[in-house]
Amino acid sequence: MNPSEARIVLTGATGGIGREAAAAFIGAGASVLLVARSPAQLSALSRSLQATATGSAPRIAWQAADLGVAAAVDELVGVASEWRCNVVVHAAGVPCFGALETVDAETMRRVIDINLLAPMKLTQALLTHLRSQVRAQVICLGSALGSIGLPGFSIYSASKFGLRGFAEALRRELGGTGIRVQYVGPRSTRTSFNDAAVEAYNAATGTAMDSPGRVAAALLRSLHDETAERFIGFPERLAVRINGAAPTLLDGSFDKHRRSVAAASSADAVPTKRSDRPGASAIESSGVLPR
Ligand SMILES: NC(=O)c1ccc[n+]([C@@H]2O[C@H](COP(=O)([O-])OP(=O)(O)OC[C@H]3O[C@@H](n4cnc5c(N)ncnc54)[C@H](OP(=O)(O)O)[C@@H]3O)[C@@H](O)[C@H]2O)c1
């Protein structure tokens, strides 16, 4: 849709990608309801966006919500409906990198909760409202790792493969309605989502990293052109297609990745609980064909 008609609920708004996306949407004339957990960060972000907004001022609002807490999601749904949102951008997410045996059960649960269940539940809860809009869009921010499973990302990939499946099935389910469901899959992006271990992995495997501004520009394009799926970067776009058509063809290509995961795991041999506190250093990557 035309951004000037968009009233966007943006989860993950305080993140590296979310901040850039909020600025891009607002710069294009959209109204944005910023969502994350920290009221202080949301309020500061809202003020700084308001200060730089030009032209006929779009509306900027915020709502603090932990997307893993049902009551907070219910409250968000009420606020978003009253605010008359017609677009949801699911950009909240938590990372998970490491050999499977180094990831504890609580971390697994949280990754699936926030990366997969939260967008599913929020979309479901907003569906009646979205159906009442002339046009609506649901944009899921996935990952190249939602199409290509790489060593070290088994849990994270499970969450993003799930999200991509959700978006694809729902897009077909809602075909013929006014609601368009979309998926954007960035490759590794320079934000605090990625810690030193992932940066070392990326360096060892020749994995390129994009700026968050590039991802924000892709989200804005997807809002505008309503493309069903958009992947960012080459060779990732090609790798997504090859892996989709014949995944086992690539199975022999991950020695460097395995070595890098083993190095990270031996430096961190005890099962660890990855923190996703606001502002905490976090980890994530996206996949490329090994070079
Ligand atoms: N960075 C990458 O390399 C990369 C690559 C591909 C895809 N992605 C995806 O892009 C999205 C954004 O990533 P990013 O790099 O911007 O990460 P980020 O900088 O760590 O930001 C994560 C955002 O999610 C929010 N969040 C986390 N847990 C939450 C919860 N329980 N409830 C509500 N909000 C929560 C955070 O806000 P609070 O912590 O303040 O609540 C923050 O706004 C994620 O879905 C990620 O999987 C990232």
Side-chain angles (χ1 to χ4, degrees):
M1 74 176 64
N2 190 318
S4 63
E5 292 160 18
R7 301 177 59 78
I8 304 169
V9 171
L10 174 64
T11 73
T14 57
I17 293 173
R19 286 171 184 273
E20 295 282 343
F25 290 144
I26 289 161
S31 297
V32 180
L33 175 64
L34 310 162
V35 181
R37 284 172 297 181
S38 161
Q41 284 187 29
L42 286 164
S43 151
L45 176 61
S46 167
R47 277 196 307 275
S48 85
L49 289 167
Q50 207 87 56
T52 52
T54 52
S56 56
R59 286 180 53 189
I60 303 168
W62 59 268
Q63 173 70 23
D66 185 332
L67 297 172
V69 173
V73 174
D74 287 348
E75 195 181 336
L76 171 61
V77 168
V79 168
S81 304
E82 202 162 312
W83 188 76
R84 292 182 292 108
C85 76
N86 55 6
V87 178
V88 185
V89 177
H90 296 293
V94 293
C96 190
F97 171 71
L100 180 61
E101 56 267 51
T102 69
V103 182
D104 64 70
E106 171 56 22
T107 301
M108 283 188 200
R109 188 197 58 73
R110 173 150 286 274
V111 171
I112 300 299
D113 245 23
I114 302 305
N115 295 0
L116 179 56
L117 283 174
M120 287 163 54
K121 288 176 179 170
L122 182 57
T123 303
Q124 183 189 49
L126 280 170
L127 211 46
T128 304
H129 167 77
L130 294 175
R131 281 184 193 277
S132 74
Q133 303 299 299
V134 179
R135 300 270 312 131
Q137 286 169 247
V138 176
I139 304 177
C140 299
L141 185 55
S143 168
L145 295 179
S147 299
I148 308 166
L150 290 187
F153 292 99
S154 56
I155 308 305
Y156 183 74
S157 268
S159 71
K160 294 293 185 177
F161 268 68
L163 185 64
R164 186 167 58 85
F166 171 70
E168 180 181 288
L170 191 64
R171 177 170 63 252
R172 293 168 181 171
E173 185 172 315
L174 297 178
T177 73
I179 306 173
R180 179 77 168 156
V181 183
Q182 299 163 258
Y183 181 85
V184 175
R187 62 181 174 183
S188 200
T189 306
R190 268 179 236 98
T191 75
S192 62
F193 211 65
N194 299 304
D195 75 356
V198 174
E199 294 206 347
Y201 177 98
N202 285 347
T205 57
T207 301
M209 295 182 83
D210 283 322
S211 70
R214 184 171 185 191
V215 181
L219 286 167
L220 179 58
R221 266 200 306 282
S222 293
L223 173 71
H224 210 164
D225 66 17
E226 304 189 15
T227 296
E229 284 195 334
R230 169 166 274 125
F231 293 93
I232 302 170
F234 186 86
E236 287 77 4
R237 276 197 301 273
L238 177 63
V240 162
R241 288 193 184 282
I242 294 171
N243 200 68
T248 55
L249 276 185
L250 301 180
D251 281 357
S253 316
F254 298 106
D255 285 349
K256 277 194 244 173
H257 297 71
R258 271 193 295 276
R259 278 198 298 276
S260 184
V261 175
S265 301
S266 62
D268 183 20
V270 183
T272 50
K273 182 174 174 188
R274 308 284 187 196
S275 170
D276 64 342
R277 284 175 291 108
S281 162
I283 48 177
E284 122 90 22
S285 179
S286 68
V288 294
L289 276 177
R291 306 208 175 117

